[in-house]
Amino acid sequence: MLANIGDWLNERFGWRSVWEAIFLRKIPHVNWLYTLGSATLFVAVNQAITGILLTLYYVPTPDHAYDSVVYITTQLPMGWFIRGLHHWGASAMVILTVAHLLRVFFYGAYKFPREVTWMTGVILLIVVIGFGFTGYLLPWDQRAYWATTVGTRIVGVAPVVGDWLLRVARGGDELSAVTLARFFGTHVWVLPAALIILVGMHLYLVIRNGISAVPGKDE
Amino acid sequence: MGESDNKEEKINRSDFMKATIAGIGGLIGIAYGLPAVAYVIGPAAKQGSSDWIQLGSVNKIEMNTPTLFKAVVETQTGWIKSEEEISAYVLTENGQDYIVMSNVCTHLGCRVRWVAEQGEFFCPCHNGVFSRDGSVVSGPPPRPLDRFESKVEAGILYVKRGG
Amino acid sequence: MKKQEQQEYMEKYKKAKAEGVPFFPDIIFKDIVVSLLILIILVLLAYFIGAPVEARANPNDASYTPRPEWYFLFLFQMLKYFPGKLEVVGAMILPTLFIGLLLVLPFLDKSPKRHFLKRPFASLMAVGVLLGIVGLTLLALNAAPTPQTTVVIDKAADLYAKNCANCHGPTIDVPAGVDLHQIIAAGNHQGMPAWGGDLSTDEIDMLVGFILSPNGSALFTRECAGCHKNAIQATGNPIELQRVFDEGKAYPAHKDQDVTDWKKSLNVDEQNALLNFLAAPDGQRLFVINCSGCHGEGIAFKGSKEELRKLIVDGGHQLTMPGWKGTLSTDDLDTLANYVTDPQGYPAGTKLFGIYCATCHGDKVPVAPDKESALTMIGSGGAHITMPVWGDILTSDQVDALVAYTLESGSETGIIVGAKLFAENCTFCHGKYGEGGLNPTFAGDTIAPISSPNYLKTRDDTTIRNIIAEGQTFGMPPFASSYGGTLNDDQIAALVAFIRNWEIIPPIIPDIPATPTANPTATPGTTSPGSGEVSFADQVQPIFQSRCIACHNSSSGQAGFDASTYQAVMTSGDSGPQIVAGDAANSPLITLLQTATGFMPPMGKLSDDDIQIIVEWINAGALDN
């Protein structure tokens, strides 16, 4: 009976061939360093889950941002846990992304036929750094405010268009409600959209080209 | 012989890994799921506090005349603190038992006023009239004025919020 | 990579894949184990360290030291090596270049070699970049103040940021010899406000310390602020400060404290910076703290700057008083001895003291217990009180400031000189404290106080200078020599400085009843006299005299109102009579007095009792009684 339903659905979805293509494909013998990529993905999912949960209470305005973060951390049941995972997940994300990049580099895995996989990976690293930078402002506490003040100032160093870029980054001359709103928007909409698209491409390419083998000494 | 052993071993290993994946997967799911549920339902699970609110001294209450009391209650919803004013009419007929009535009309929520000449509560919105003890005399109100649970301690009248 | 090499790779990979394991469950098993491990680490971090929340963002708190998240630290550290115009290299060009290189890496490195030992150049480069980033991060971690120390705010810097930085920018260059404390307290008349009203003396001292030694302020915050919450809680006495350095743990107040041996842990420059912060090289303050105990308010030192400097630095042994027996006549000695025993009783000694003693003693007269010992002391001389060897105690900056101030204050300008001139020329009319009073040269006129905050705030130095120089109506003569007076420009400048100084240190005026009350039986402040009992001459007129007549008089009646006589009070006024007899409520005068705002009257609203007296008087018919 169950098998019948399965067959019926398979005729329409074709999920068995997908399953076979993805999960039953053969992988060369690899070592534990090859888990870094999936670990990064795991932490990214962690960031997504905890991040979505945080937006249930967080309010991105200077009036409420700090209070709502304090409320999440101190008043809500498990709020400290969700925020703690998100906070430390951010650092883990950076560490794991870089570690994954190093593994790929030293194993020469960016070479034919995986050049594009590598390039999407490098863009993903930039996205991750963007997440870190925009997310840092959101609690609207002293270190958020001042670190972002200094951080955005770096943009202003650019020749000719520096001042203009600085104003665009901050949404004005100074850090303000506008800055907070656009950092929040970037952090929860722009960057996640970019992340999903890039991770999708990255994974598709990994599956299509296969996971690289550990190169031998003579390779 | 050896080959079949090898195969069996492989199958056992594979089953073990599958079981472990399911186990760890479940564990991770629980690690996120349970805190997430607690986190989401947190504010709802918090019981509306039914603290006793101090209304004022009973000495101020005139016998047989509803007296209006106002008390400011500080409430915190989420991270926003707000002050709410509670108004209530207090009636006593013997100086022992107190009836504490909401001054909100049971019809559409306007504020009722005590009109001493008539000895009745009067709602200005749709001419609802309540008697001294809050029961409906005339007009559209569907039920008597709501009452608060109250108590007197050391000459001070308290009411229970939301009660 | 050539086509052939690509094909070779693909074939090899195919083989490796065929020998491999299925993705599920083999690979996923490893992945999920690692994921669980990471989750456990994250949970532990969240539980034991948590996500920090600092104080709410405060855009006005410029003293906060910003720290970027740790993974940006290396970038921040790198920026330190690209100062000024080069900053764009560190901030933009290098990072962009680096990311660009990473992006196109597969096209730069097209060799078929994959093992890292087979491509030593790329591997070494990567290791180099990695070590660089780690190294820079470590450097930044070492340089960045730990969170604990940033909690202690540099209070002086904070004060500076709040009050001065808007106009003066991050630092102020102060020429030597400037009385900075005075300038901050009184402002200057190029638009700098007087801070004396808003900041305490201690806070001004702190600011001066910060301006003259910002590094010292930072050092204080680092070394001392843990215990001394305010710079002012630590001592500003250089002798004590030097002891702290010299004695270390043995210094009594530091006995049970966990203190560092600053003499070793700080280099000489740092020690000086710290001392300069706590006892700022501000001549006036240094003199007050260190010298005035023996020398009074100033020393009229006539020698050169170098001589004075040497005198101060050497201290001690220089200070042997010569025996005056042979030099002075017996009469002179006698006069001096009398003078130092009782300066007030024998004013005749002032001149002698000024000639022979003031060079060292300043204007502080050492008081002897009796004439005998005074005679012996003056006659034989010798060391009595030893002056400390200031060279060991003060930093060189401090000595410079002290020298500059002493010379400046000894010259014919300055507040001390001004005080003397004021006493000689002004006190007769303006009172000892500038409190004013009845005008002795112009009957019926009252001189308003010139030491009141209102008076001083509404007149700048030029105005006061002109008033003194040119005189005023109501009998104040011109004082400037150019107008036929007796004072030269320097002396007038000194007077102005002295008067302006009241704004910082208001004179304490002995409590003289301002309103002479003719009705001694009336208890002030409780009940007012009943109707019919109020006398114009005895009760109302004195109020007018003391509070109104300065402006509202017959010659210059402001708003046409003249409060000098009964007749004038009842009839004068540009907008008609100010008093409606019998109806105080409708008398414009009462409305004006009750709502007194702005400059009317200059010394503030009349007391309720005074107003009540006038009200009663009007209600009783405003009689000339």
Side-chain angles (χ1 to χ4, degrees):
Chain A
M1 181 66 199
L2 221 69
N4 282 344
I5 295 175
D7 289 344
W8 188 87
L9 281 174
N10 186 39
E11 272 177 287
R12 275 131 194 103
F13 280 92
W15 56 271
R16 266 181 200 145
S17 54
V18 175
W19 173 262
E20 276 161 23
I22 296 178
F23 288 94
L24 301 182
R25 72 198 154 101
K26 288 274 194 139
I27 305 287
H29 284 288
V30 291
N31 59 29
W32 283 91
L33 287 177
Y34 280 69
T35 60
L36 284 168
S38 67
T40 314
L41 183 64
F42 170 73
V43 178
V45 172
N46 167 74
Q47 294 306 88
I49 293 171
T50 53
I52 288 169
L53 287 173
L54 286 174
T55 60
L56 294 187
Y57 296 100
Y58 175 76
V59 178
T61 68
D63 289 354
H64 294 300
Y66 181 76
D67 289 329
S68 59
V69 168
V70 171
Y71 174 73
I72 291 170
T73 318
T74 60
Q75 307 275 308
L76 278 177
M78 298 313 278
W80 60 270
F81 179 79
I82 305 290
R83 185 160 172 260
L85 285 188
H86 198 74
H87 174 85
W88 290 105
S91 290
M93 197 69 193
V94 174
I95 295 176
L96 289 170
T97 310
V98 171
H100 178 50
L101 180 140
L102 289 173
R103 197 279 294 166
V104 171
F105 180 86
F106 283 111
Y107 280 19
Y110 55 86
K111 299 193 174 208
F112 172 85
R114 301 184 183 84
E115 293 96 330
V116 183
T117 323
W118 165 267
M119 289 168 80
T120 54
V122 172
I123 300 172
L124 274 168
L125 172 68
I126 298 169
V127 170
V128 166
I129 289 171
F131 268 115
F133 186 67
T134 50
Y136 205 58
L137 177 67
L138 302 187
W140 203 249
D141 60 359
Q142 280 283 69
R143 70 169 175 175
Y145 184 91
W146 290 105
T148 306
T149 302
V150 177
T152 47
R153 203 173 285 155
I154 289 183
V155 183
V157 171
V160 190
V161 291
D163 282 343
W164 181 77
L165 280 178
L166 179 64
R167 285 175 53 81
V168 172
R170 290 183 179 174
D173 286 327
E174 301 291 333
L175 253 64
S176 64
V178 181
T179 323
L180 182 56
R182 63 177 53 204
F183 270 51
F184 177 73
T186 309
H187 191 79
V188 305
W189 292 116
V190 180
L191 292 175
L195 187 84
I196 287 171
I197 293 169
L198 287 163
V199 166
M201 284 168 69
H202 200 69
L203 289 182
Y204 170 77
L205 290 168
V206 167
I207 291 165
R208 187 187 129 74
N209 294 322
I211 293 171
S212 69
V214 181
K217 280 219 173 86
D218 54 334
E219 276 184 77
Chain B
M1 178 82 185
E3 199 174 284
S4 82
D5 262 5
N6 204 359
K7 212 171 184 183
E8 209 159 285
E9 207 175 277
K10 240 182 185 172
I11 287 165
N12 282 344
R13 203 174 113 84
S14 167
D15 284 346
F16 163 75
M17 285 194 290
K18 281 178 186 166
T20 315
I21 289 169
I24 293 180
L27 200 66
I28 291 176
I30 291 169
Y32 284 101
L34 288 185
V37 170
Y39 174 85
V40 172
I41 65 172
K46 212 175 174 185
Q47 284 288 320
S49 60
S50 58
D51 307 326
W52 288 97
I53 299 152
Q54 188 176 328
L55 263 195
S57 165
V58 291
N59 298 335
K60 290 188 190 159
I61 305 167
E62 265 182 74
M63 202 74 84
N64 292 327
T65 307
T67 313
L68 184 65
F69 278 89
K70 285 183 178 168
V72 175
V73 187
E74 234 189 39
T75 48
Q76 187 180 356
T77 42
W79 54 92
I80 297 174
K81 283 198 181 79
S82 56
E83 283 185 348
E84 181 193 351
E85 200 182 64
I86 286 191
S87 345
Y89 279 102
V90 184
L91 174 72
T92 178
E93 288 171 334
N94 53 15
Q96 301 286 322
D97 305 311
Y98 298 90
I99 301 172
V100 184
M101 291 167 284
S102 156
N103 71 337
V104 175
C105 178
T106 50
H107 176 222
L108 289 175
C110 297
R111 304 268 160 171
V112 298
R113 267 200 308 271
W114 172 249
V115 183
E117 292 85 57
Q118 270 87 41
E120 281 167 336
F121 289 106
F122 177 76
C123 176
C125 292
H126 302 95
N127 296 331
V129 180
F130 302 87
S131 73
R132 204 176 58 173
D133 63 356
S135 48
V136 183
V137 174
S138 68
R143 59 173 199 278
L145 289 174
D146 292 331
R147 291 189 178 183
F148 290 104
E149 199 181 324
S150 67
K151 66 171 180 182
V152 176
E153 261 174 29
I156 305 288
L157 182 67
Y158 295 85
V159 294
K160 205 169 200 178
R161 190 155 53 126
Chain C
M1 210 183 285
K2 293 177 196 124
K3 261 267 153 354
Q4 193 198 340
E5 287 166 343
Q6 289 183 354
Q7 268 168 14
E8 260 172 43
Y9 173 77
M10 288 310 268
E11 265 163 39
K12 211 169 178 184
Y13 180 67
K14 214 170 172 183
K15 216 174 128 201
K17 210 170 161 176
E19 286 169 1
V21 291
F23 183 61
F24 178 83
D26 291 56
I27 300 291
I28 290 193
F29 170 75
K30 278 183 179 175
D31 288 344
I32 206 160
V33 167
V34 171
S35 294
L36 180 68
L37 208 72
I38 287 168
L39 180 61
I40 290 171
I41 292 171
L42 291 182
V43 170
L44 289 179
L45 284 168
Y47 185 79
F48 286 106
I49 303 179
V53 202
E54 285 192 3
R56 182 190 300 274
N58 175 7
N60 298 319
D61 179 8
S63 65
Y64 188 86
T65 317
R67 272 167 301 123
E69 186 63 304
W70 64 267
Y71 40 81
F72 291 124
L73 275 180
F74 77 96
L75 260 175
F76 258 69
Q77 185 66 20
M78 197 171 69
L79 285 184
K80 289 185 187 164
Y81 307 115
F82 296 96
K85 286 201 166 155
L86 286 177
E87 198 182 1
V88 68
V89 177
M92 293 255 142
I93 298 178
L94 276 184
T96 315
L97 218 61
F98 179 69
I99 292 288
L101 274 179
L102 269 189
L103 214 53
V104 298
L105 177 69
F107 309 105
L108 296 178
D109 174 15
K110 287 204 231 172
S111 85
K113 300 282 182 228
R114 285 170 196 260
H115 196 271
F116 66 94
L117 288 177
K118 294 278 174 184
R119 9 179 222 122
F121 177 72
S123 298
L124 278 177
M125 282 283 280
V127 170
V129 169
L130 202 62
L131 285 180
I133 288 177
V134 171
L136 283 171
T137 306
L138 289 179
L139 272 177
L141 279 176
N142 268 338
T146 54
Q148 274 76 14
T149 48
T150 49
V151 172
V152 183
I153 298 162
D154 187 337
K155 291 229 168 92
D158 197 36
L159 265 181
Y160 182 87
K162 282 193 182 119
N163 295 303
C164 319
N166 267 349
C167 298
H168 289 289
T171 54
I172 307 176
D173 203 20
V174 186
V178 166
D179 187 349
L180 202 50
H181 187 99
Q182 158 86 9
I183 290 178
I184 295 174
N188 69 17
H189 290 275
Q190 287 132 31
M192 173 169 165
W195 297 98
D198 299 323
L199 302 177
S200 70
T201 307
D202 288 337
E203 285 173 324
I204 294 177
D205 279 345
M206 233 158 92
L207 264 182
V208 173
F210 178 80
I211 291 167
L212 296 175
S213 179
N215 294 341
S217 173
L219 276 169
F220 181 86
T221 308
R222 193 182 86 196
E223 299 285 335
C224 320
C227 300
H228 298 282
K229 296 281 178 254
N230 274 323
I232 48 182
Q233 281 175 343
T235 179
N237 181 340
I239 302 180
E240 288 298 309
L241 291 171
Q242 204 64 46
R243 272 186 69 192
V244 172
F245 276 138
D246 287 342
E247 297 176 16
K249 260 196 195 320
Y251 184 73
H254 287 167
K255 210 168 207 158
D256 303 319
Q257 307 296 323
D258 180 27
V259 296
T260 328
D261 186 356
W262 289 295
K263 200 104 189 173
K264 283 190 190 126
S265 70
L266 301 180
N267 65 35
V268 179
D269 283 346
E270 286 173 331
Q271 287 180 30
N272 281 340
L274 192 51
L275 288 176
N276 282 345
F277 170 66
L278 286 166
D282 175 327
Q284 189 260 343
R285 301 299 291 168
L286 283 172
F287 193 91
V288 168
I289 295 167
N290 301 301
C291 315
S292 60
C294 299
H295 295 289
E297 287 170 315
I299 306 167
F301 185 81
K302 297 284 185 248
S304 74
K305 195 174 168 182
E306 286 67 32
E307 283 169 340
L308 180 61
R309 196 174 202 289
K310 188 165 166 30
L311 201 70
I312 295 174
V313 169
D314 291 350
H317 48 276
Q318 292 284 329
L319 208 82
T320 312
M321 184 167 82
W324 295 101
K325 210 164 200 166
T327 327
L328 297 179
S329 71
T330 325
D331 279 354
D332 284 349
L333 281 177
D334 205 50
T335 312
L336 265 180
N338 275 326
Y339 179 65
V340 300
T341 319
D342 179 10
Q344 264 78 46
Y346 296 89
T350 317
K351 201 175 162 202
L352 278 173
F353 188 86
I355 297 169
Y356 297 107
C357 318
T359 315
C360 296
H361 286 285
D363 56 8
K364 172 147 181 157
V365 181
V367 179
D370 55 78
K371 199 184 157 188
E372 281 313 304
S373 56
L375 264 180
T376 324
M377 185 66 90
I378 300 171
S380 57
H384 31 293
I385 308 160
T386 340
M387 181 157 108
V389 183
W390 293 109
D392 292 347
I393 294 163
L394 298 176
T395 67
S396 134
D397 288 338
Q398 288 168 338
V399 174
D400 287 344
L402 197 50
V403 169
Y405 172 78
T406 310
L407 288 173
E408 198 252 349
S409 72
S411 67
E412 290 295 302
T413 54
I415 296 163
I416 306 124
V417 181
K420 282 185 188 139
L421 287 168
F422 190 85
E424 288 162 14
N425 296 292
C426 317
T427 45
F428 183 65
C429 293
H430 288 285
K432 202 174 172 191
Y433 310 97
E435 75 274 20
L438 290 175
N439 189 337
T441 63
F442 196 82
D445 185 28
T446 309
I447 296 172
I450 57 170
S451 54
S452 72
N454 271 329
Y455 181 91
L456 293 168
K457 205 152 244 167
T458 49
R459 282 157 187 85
D460 64 11
D461 286 359
T462 320
T463 311
I464 297 178
R465 184 190 312 273
N466 290 341
I467 292 174
I468 299 172
E470 298 164 21
Q472 289 271 286
T473 46
F474 319 125
M476 177 168 167
F479 280 93
S481 47
S482 50
Y483 289 87
T486 52
L487 302 179
N488 63 32
D489 286 352
D490 282 350
Q491 287 170 316
I492 292 178
L495 260 179
V496 172
F498 172 71
I499 290 168
R500 179 61 62 199
N501 195 42
W502 277 328
E503 213 163 25
I504 314 157
I505 311 158
I508 299 147
I509 303 171
D511 207 9
I512 306 161
T515 317
T517 319
N519 189 355
T521 50
T523 26
T526 49
T527 52
S528 46
S531 51
E533 289 174 9
V534 186
S535 152
F536 177 76
D538 290 339
Q539 287 171 274
V540 179
Q541 197 163 24
I543 299 173
F544 285 157
Q545 293 219 325
S546 65
R547 300 302 304 276
C548 315
I549 264 185
C551 300
H552 301 288
N553 52 47
S554 54
S555 53
S556 80
Q558 294 280 325
F561 185 63
D562 178 4
S564 52
T565 64
Y566 174 77
Q567 202 56 39
V569 166
M570 296 307 288
T571 54
S572 65
D574 284 347
S575 52
Q578 297 297 301
I579 288 167
V580 182
D583 188 359
N586 282 317
S587 299
L589 177 69
I590 298 302
T591 320
L592 278 169
L593 288 176
Q594 279 168 342
T595 56
T597 47
F599 296 112
M600 217 291 287
M603 286 295 285
K605 200 179 162 193
L606 264 63
S607 73
D608 289 344
D609 288 347
D610 284 353
I611 294 177
Q612 188 59 33
I613 288 173
I614 300 172
V615 167
E616 301 272 353
W617 169 69
I618 294 175
N619 281 340
L623 303 171
D624 184 10
N625 51 1

Short mmCIF file of all heavy atoms in Angstrom, two decimals, chain C residues 34 173 193 496 594 597 624:
data_model
loop_
_atom_site.label_atom_id
_atom_site.label_comp_id
_atom_site.label_asym_id
_atom_site.label_seq_id
_atom_site.Cartn_x
_atom_site.Cartn_y
_atom_site.Cartn_z
N VAL C 34 30.17 16.25 13.05
CA VAL C 34 30.86 17.53 13.21
C VAL C 34 29.86 18.64 13.55
O VAL C 34 30.10 19.50 14.40
CB VAL C 34 31.65 17.87 11.92
CG1 VAL C 34 32.17 19.29 11.98
CG2 VAL C 34 32.79 16.90 11.74
N ASP C 173 46.63 74.32 22.17
CA ASP C 173 48.01 74.67 22.41
C ASP C 173 48.04 75.90 23.32
O ASP C 173 47.54 76.95 22.95
CB ASP C 173 48.68 74.97 21.06
CG ASP C 173 50.18 74.79 21.15
OD1 ASP C 173 50.62 74.09 22.10
OD2 ASP C 173 50.89 75.34 20.31
N PRO C 193 32.64 81.30 26.67
CA PRO C 193 31.82 81.53 27.85
C PRO C 193 32.61 81.26 29.13
O PRO C 193 33.63 80.57 29.12
CB PRO C 193 30.69 80.52 27.70
CG PRO C 193 31.21 79.47 26.81
CD PRO C 193 32.29 80.07 25.96
N VAL C 496 40.11 96.08 36.45
CA VAL C 496 39.11 95.31 35.71
C VAL C 496 39.28 93.81 35.99
O VAL C 496 38.31 93.10 36.24
CB VAL C 496 39.22 95.60 34.19
CG1 VAL C 496 38.32 94.66 33.41
CG2 VAL C 496 38.88 97.04 33.89
N GLN C 594 5.60 91.72 40.56
CA GLN C 594 5.32 90.31 40.81
C GLN C 594 5.81 89.43 39.68
O GLN C 594 6.16 88.27 39.89
CB GLN C 594 3.81 90.11 41.02
CG GLN C 594 3.43 90.48 42.46
CD GLN C 594 1.94 90.59 42.64
OE1 GLN C 594 1.20 90.72 41.67
NE2 GLN C 594 1.50 90.56 43.89
N THR C 597 10.82 90.00 35.50
CA THR C 597 11.62 89.12 34.65
C THR C 597 12.74 89.95 34.05
O THR C 597 12.71 91.17 34.10
CB THR C 597 10.79 88.53 33.51
OG1 THR C 597 10.04 89.59 32.92
CG2 THR C 597 9.88 87.44 33.99
N ASP C 624 0.61 109.58 51.62
CA ASP C 624 1.97 110.07 51.89
C ASP C 624 2.12 110.19 53.39
O ASP C 624 2.08 111.27 53.96
CB ASP C 624 2.14 111.44 51.19
CG ASP C 624 3.56 111.95 51.34
OD1 ASP C 624 4.42 111.17 51.80
OD2 ASP C 624 3.80 113.12 51.00
#
